[in-house]
PDB file of all heavy atoms in Angstrom:
ATOM      1  N   CYS A 188     107.272  25.644  78.406  1.00  0.00           N
ATOM      2  CA  CYS A 188     107.890  26.621  77.487  1.00  0.00           C
ATOM      3  C   CYS A 188     107.433  26.354  76.042  1.00  0.00           C
ATOM      4  O   CYS A 188     107.563  25.188  75.580  1.00  0.00           O
ATOM      5  CB  CYS A 188     109.404  26.490  77.554  1.00  0.00           C
ATOM      6  SG  CYS A 188     110.288  27.421  76.269  1.00  0.00           S
ATOM      7  N   CYS A 191     110.502  25.395  73.312  1.00  0.00           N
ATOM      8  CA  CYS A 191     111.110  24.054  73.250  1.00  0.00           C
ATOM      9  C   CYS A 191     110.071  22.936  73.546  1.00  0.00           C
ATOM     10  O   CYS A 191     110.267  21.780  73.153  1.00  0.00           O
ATOM     11  CB  CYS A 191     112.277  23.955  74.136  1.00  0.00           C
ATOM     12  SG  CYS A 191     111.863  24.043  75.925  1.00  0.00           S
ATOM     13  N   HIS A 200     114.944  29.971  82.391  1.00  0.00           N
ATOM     14  CA  HIS A 200     114.846  29.046  81.291  1.00  0.00           C
ATOM     15  C   HIS A 200     114.839  29.822  79.958  1.00  0.00           C
ATOM     16  O   HIS A 200     115.607  29.434  79.030  1.00  0.00           O
ATOM     17  CB  HIS A 200     113.617  28.174  81.390  1.00  0.00           C
ATOM     18  CG  HIS A 200     113.412  27.332  80.202  1.00  0.00           C
ATOM     19  ND1 HIS A 200     114.154  26.143  80.031  1.00  0.00           N
ATOM     20  CD2 HIS A 200     112.573  27.352  79.153  1.00  0.00           C
ATOM     21  CE1 HIS A 200     113.801  25.562  78.870  1.00  0.00           C
ATOM     22  NE2 HIS A 200     112.842  26.271  78.316  1.00  0.00           N
ATOM     23  N   CYS A 205     116.878  27.565  77.575  1.00  0.00           N
ATOM     24  CA  CYS A 205     115.983  26.887  76.573  1.00  0.00           C
ATOM     25  C   CYS A 205     116.816  26.539  75.343  1.00  0.00           C
ATOM     26  O   CYS A 205     117.700  27.267  74.893  1.00  0.00           O
ATOM     27  CB  CYS A 205     114.843  27.786  76.157  1.00  0.00           C
ATOM     28  SG  CYS A 205     113.793  27.173  74.908  1.00  0.00           S
TER      29      CYS A 205
HETATM   30 ZN1   ZN B   1     112.265  26.264  76.315  1.00  0.00          ZN
END
Side-chain angles (χ1 to χ4, degrees):
C188 169
C191 66
H200 176 74
C205 176

